[in-house]
Amino acid sequence: MHTRRNLLRAGSAALIAGVASPALAGIGKAEYRALAFDNLHTGEKLKIDYWVEGNYVPDALADINHLLRDYRNNQVHTIEPKLLDLLNLLHRQMGSNGAFEVISGYRSPATNAMLHERSAGVAAHSLHMQGMAIDIRLPDRNLADLHNTALAMQAGGVGYYPSLDFVHVDVGRVRRWGG
Ligand SMILES: [Zn+2]
């Protein structure tokens, strides 16, 4: 599929990206940033270079936006690239070889309102509605380790849901809940 990106990889030059968030500074030296997702609701899987030699790859971001859509009504929303960088760094720090299993990505206002009605654990103004949050786990790593590593990054909000087997991460202000 992504032949052009592979060609770009072969002819690479060393470029260093500027990174706005100090918390994500560790990502700055990578020429390629890849992510792999396994959407547990739709069964869709994706492994993709979303950033190549100094630039986000628009069609890769579109593929990610689609995979992380609101699966209840298929509404697609832009996922913040900064959230993807957080996930990329988190994945490398975890030393995982697996794809992020996705419990929840984008949530439309209608879906979030429905979930908020049902559960006190769902915020009325959730960052999931802005494409700034995701609920995840890694199949080959311990959930508590994932939680602690996300906390140590100080890159945004981190929620711990061990009974539901996922960690929430977002690129809002640094805060924590659960666990
Ligand atoms: Zn969440």
Side-chain angles (χ1 to χ4, degrees):
M1 265 172 75
H2 304 288
T3 310
R4 188 174 56 83
R5 271 170 236 147
N6 291 335
L7 289 174
L8 284 171
R9 168 171 283 180
S12 66
L15 290 175
I16 297 183
V19 175
S21 165
L24 295 176
I27 201 168
K29 288 169 187 162
E31 290 179 46
Y32 301 93
R33 299 175 197 164
L35 277 171
F37 293 108
D38 181 357
N39 185 319
L40 299 180
H41 295 287
T42 64
E44 293 169 14
K45 299 177 198 301
L46 177 67
K47 184 173 185 179
I48 200 159
D49 287 341
Y50 71 94
W51 190 97
V52 174
E53 294 182 353
N55 294 293
Y56 292 106
V57 180
D59 58 348
L61 298 184
D63 287 351
I64 292 170
N65 293 344
H66 183 261
L67 183 125
L68 297 180
R69 71 191 179 279
D70 186 331
Y71 73 93
R72 289 179 173 87
N73 55 25
N74 285 320
Q75 287 186 29
V76 177
H77 189 282
T78 300
I79 302 299
E80 279 285 326
K82 195 165 70 168
L83 179 64
L84 304 182
D85 288 340
L86 185 160
L87 290 173
N88 178 276
L89 191 57
L90 179 59
H91 192 265
R92 284 192 281 133
Q93 291 192 355
M94 290 299 293
S96 169
N97 293 310
F100 280 114
E101 295 181 346
V102 179
I103 289 84
S104 183
Y106 171 63
R107 283 184 210 146
S108 66
T111 291
N112 198 76
M114 181 268 290
L115 295 174
H116 176 63
E117 280 291 309
R118 285 187 192 171
S119 168
V122 174
H125 302 286
S126 162
L127 291 178
H128 286 276
M129 292 166 61
Q130 299 175 50
M132 294 171 64
I134 190 167
D135 299 338
I136 45 155
R137 61 174 173 251
L138 284 167
D140 62 347
R141 289 295 179 267
N142 179 278
L143 193 73
D145 291 342
L146 181 65
H147 176 230
N148 289 328
T149 303
L151 282 176
M153 286 173 63
Q154 296 274 301
V158 179
Y160 189 42
Y161 297 84
S163 65
L164 300 171
D165 196 18
F166 71 78
V167 172
H168 163 112
V169 293
D170 66 54
V171 287
R173 64 192 165 77
V174 175
R175 64 213 192 286
R176 63 180 293 178
W177 62 92

